[in-house]
Amino acid sequence: MTWAAKNATAIVGLTKPFVNWGLAWANRKPSQFDQDFPMGYIQKSLTKKEILEAKAYWDYKKIFDKQKSLNVVFFGRIGPYFDLNIVLEAAKILQKKKIIVKFIICGIGSELSTLKFKAKNLTNVIFTGWITQSYIQVLMQRS
């Protein structure tokens, strides 16, 4: 990792702290090419209707019930580019130890049915399918 960071033309990340972390690995000062690029969408103001609809959806999914839990959320395409099997392994261990953590996997893709099959006995893994920006915003606010 150090070699890659030292020899990279640029270090980029979603936040400035991520870029600084890479620069620390490289043991160098930032150049004009090292940049942070925040998430690729503009957070819009939601209407009251959108907020109520999203809250009702998450209430229906029982993501935020009376039992306090840590919510681990994934948003994205469910395909071979993300190894979500490790998430299922963590969910299995935590469920066995009765540690209250919910894994909320939001998205669709070629690996979704396989992942759902592997998670069939995991009560702490919730698949939502594709969701809208308003659902994402409300879920992130609640998490």
Side-chain angles (χ1 to χ4, degrees):
M1 173 99 138
T2 304
W3 182 90
K6 282 184 179 179
N7 290 286
T9 302
I11 296 178
V12 298
L14 291 174
T15 66
K16 195 64 155 167
F18 283 151
V19 174
N20 291 339
W21 178 82
L23 291 169
W25 268 99
N27 196 25
R28 67 172 175 83
K29 293 185 179 191
S31 76
Q32 66 187 38
F33 302 112
D34 301 312
Q35 295 289 319
D36 62 295
F37 296 94
M39 291 301 284
Y41 66 90
I42 297 169
Q43 188 169 336
K44 69 172 191 164
S45 296
L46 301 178
T47 65
K48 286 182 182 183
K49 181 181 176 191
E50 288 172 317
I51 292 169
L52 290 173
E53 180 183 301
K55 284 181 177 181
Y57 176 79
W58 295 123
D59 290 343
Y60 171 76
K61 288 285 191 181
K62 294 185 172 47
I63 304 260
F64 305 98
D65 51 22
K66 293 176 184 168
Q67 200 174 32
K68 298 279 185 197
S69 69
L70 171 66
N71 295 313
V72 178
V73 184
F74 171 85
F75 301 105
R77 173 123 350 242
I78 300 170
Y81 15 80
F82 295 112
D83 184 6
L84 295 176
N85 290 303
I86 194 77
V87 173
L88 297 184
E89 287 299 316
K92 186 177 184 179
I93 292 166
L94 293 168
Q95 180 172 290
K96 187 175 181 179
K97 292 185 176 191
K98 298 183 180 170
I99 298 172
I100 303 169
V101 177
K102 291 181 183 174
F103 295 87
I104 306 156
I105 301 175
C106 307
I108 57 173
S110 62
E111 301 294 317
L112 179 59
S113 59
T114 302
L115 210 60
K116 279 184 170 183
F117 179 78
K118 289 178 180 179
K120 67 182 177 201
N121 295 320
L122 298 174
T123 58
N124 58 350
V125 177
I126 300 160
F127 293 94
T128 67
W130 184 87
I131 58 173
T132 66
Q133 184 179 352
S134 59
Y135 285 36
I136 291 170
Q137 281 185 229
V138 170
L139 178 57
M140 293 305 295
Q141 288 167 354
R142 287 185 168 191
S143 295

